Amino acid sequence: MTQASMPLVAALVAAGFLFNPGPVPAHDADTHAHHHVAGSTVRSIADYAIPDVKLVRDDGSTIQLSRELDDGRPIALNFIYTTCTTVCPLTSQTFAELQAKLGAASGSVHLVSISIDPEQDTPRTLHAYAQKFGAGSEWRFYTGTVAASVAAQRAFNVYRGDKMSHTPVTLVRSAPGRPWVRIEGFATPDELLAELRKATTGTL
């Protein structure tokens, strides 16, 4: 366990997601399975090669995606666009609630939302969207060229050809070089907290 993950572990303990003496959910008992169905979500483990594309953060800074995701913190990542009225408000609200549940330890996690509509989603537009959901400094939004956005989407196997066809997918990773947990469907804040617990304890 890294020093950076210790505040996160403390928050998860306080939230009851670490060292919980209660019953262990069935999907936690099967720690070697690589595919689970829990309610309306599907969980799997995958390795992704992060492309060396440049994106623009909501604060106007140009970053290289591979470096931005390799800052040592656990990551929860999704894809959104600001004019979406179906999937994105729900997944963004989930991140907002996750951020609130983490509390003081939220800075120990990197929340990442990448736009799939970069032509409309300027850094200024994303910043306004971030404020709407109460995003803190640990939750950043990214845009860029269409080519860069598509490259990021393809890298994580979420590209569907058209923004109207996108589906809810959340990806969680404990640290650089580790596998990603892929959750298809509408993950709840508690599900994501549970995944972060597994990430910080090394149990997939």
Side-chain angles (χ1 to χ4, degrees):
M1 186 183 304
T2 65
Q3 185 175 2
S5 68
M6 292 179 67
L8 171 61
V9 173
L12 293 173
V13 171
F17 284 89
L18 276 180
F19 313 116
N20 190 336
V24 177
H27 70 273
D28 281 351
D30 183 11
T31 57
H32 297 291
H34 276 203
H35 192 257
H36 300 282
V37 177
S40 60
T41 61
V42 178
R43 180 186 188 274
S44 58
I45 305 297
D47 287 308
Y48 299 111
I50 302 172
D52 290 328
V53 296
K54 291 184 178 180
L55 296 178
V56 182
R57 208 161 49 202
D58 58 291
D59 62 1
S61 300
T62 299
I63 57 91
Q64 186 170 309
L65 182 60
S66 57
R67 293 180 181 176
E68 189 79 353
L69 299 185
D70 285 354
D71 65 0
R73 291 179 292 174
I75 292 173
L77 181 152
N78 64 14
F79 290 84
I80 58 97
Y81 65 100
T82 61
T83 58
C84 174
T85 59
T86 54
V87 171
C88 308
L90 296 176
T91 57
S92 295
Q93 182 61 33
T94 295
F95 268 28
E97 293 180 22
L98 172 62
Q99 177 182 249
K101 285 177 177 288
L102 287 168
S106 60
S108 299
V109 178
H110 190 179
L111 303 181
V112 174
S113 294
I114 300 176
S115 173
I116 63 172
D117 187 16
E119 291 180 307
Q120 298 297 323
D121 290 341
T122 64
R124 184 175 181 177
T125 301
L126 286 175
H127 184 69
Y129 185 85
Q131 289 185 316
K132 176 181 176 181
F133 285 95
S137 60
E138 67 281 351
W139 182 9
R140 306 314 299 253
F141 293 75
Y142 301 83
T143 185
T145 64
V146 171
S149 175
V150 169
Q153 293 173 63
R154 289 188 185 278
F156 288 101
N157 192 25
V158 298
Y159 182 65
R160 300 294 179 262
D162 181 88
K163 66 183 181 182
M164 302 300 293
S165 302
H166 82 122
T167 56
V169 176
T170 307
L171 302 121
V172 178
R173 190 188 66 181
S174 61
R178 296 287 296 158
W180 291 83
V181 175
R182 180 186 181 95
I183 304 173
E184 299 186 54
F186 290 105
T188 67
D190 286 345
E191 282 183 273
L192 296 183
L193 271 175
E195 291 301 339
L196 289 169
R197 176 201 62 168
K198 295 171 187 175
T200 55
T201 58
T203 301
L204 292 175

